[in-house]
């Protein structure tokens, strides 16, 4: 059984072997639930970022390129060899 102590600042240290075994790193968030026999700490899953609000920041849709435009950099590169 592992033990820990409550600090004067109200902090608990979760033993390193438990943190490592569960993949809990710095800034892992936990929800705390009061139970009759104590408290339950439950790590919160990382939320996927919602990128839908970024689509408007990308600007207008790019125009289709012609075959000549697509090949231009390759042609320019070959001519420098």
């Amino acid at each position: 059984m592992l033990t820990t102590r409550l600090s004067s600042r109200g902090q608990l240290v979760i033993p390193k072997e438990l943190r490592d075994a569960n993949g809990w790193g710095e800034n892992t968030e936990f929800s705390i639930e009061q139970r009759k026999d104590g408290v339950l700490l439950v790590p919160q899953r990382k939320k996927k970022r919602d990128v839908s609000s970024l689509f408007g920041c990308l600007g207008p849709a790019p125009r289709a390129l012609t075959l000549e435009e697509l090949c231009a950099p390759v042609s320019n590169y070959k001519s420098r060899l």
Side-chain angles (χ1 to χ4, degrees):
M1 174 190 278
L2 301 172
T3 62
T4 189
R5 292 180 190 255
L6 187 65
S7 76
S8 62
R9 295 180 60 194
Q11 299 170 324
L12 285 176
V13 174
I14 298 173
K16 183 172 180 3
E17 66 184 80
L18 285 178
R19 294 191 317 262
D20 290 347
N22 289 283
W24 298 334
E26 185 177 358
N27 296 320
T28 299
E29 292 186 8
F30 293 83
S31 62
I32 303 171
E33 183 181 323
Q34 178 70 52
R35 297 276 179 106
K36 289 180 183 179
D37 59 344
V39 295
L40 173 66
L41 295 175
V42 179
Q44 298 301 294
R45 296 182 187 267
K46 292 182 180 178
K47 296 178 183 174
K48 293 183 179 178
R49 292 186 177 188
D50 179 17
V51 295
S52 61
S53 62
L54 298 176
F55 291 124
C57 299
L58 298 176
R63 65 177 179 81
L65 298 174
T66 66
L67 184 58
E68 291 78 22
E69 290 172 316
L70 287 172
C71 293
V74 175
S75 300
N76 291 340
Y77 177 74
K78 286 183 179 179
S79 66
R80 288 183 280 170
L81 292 178

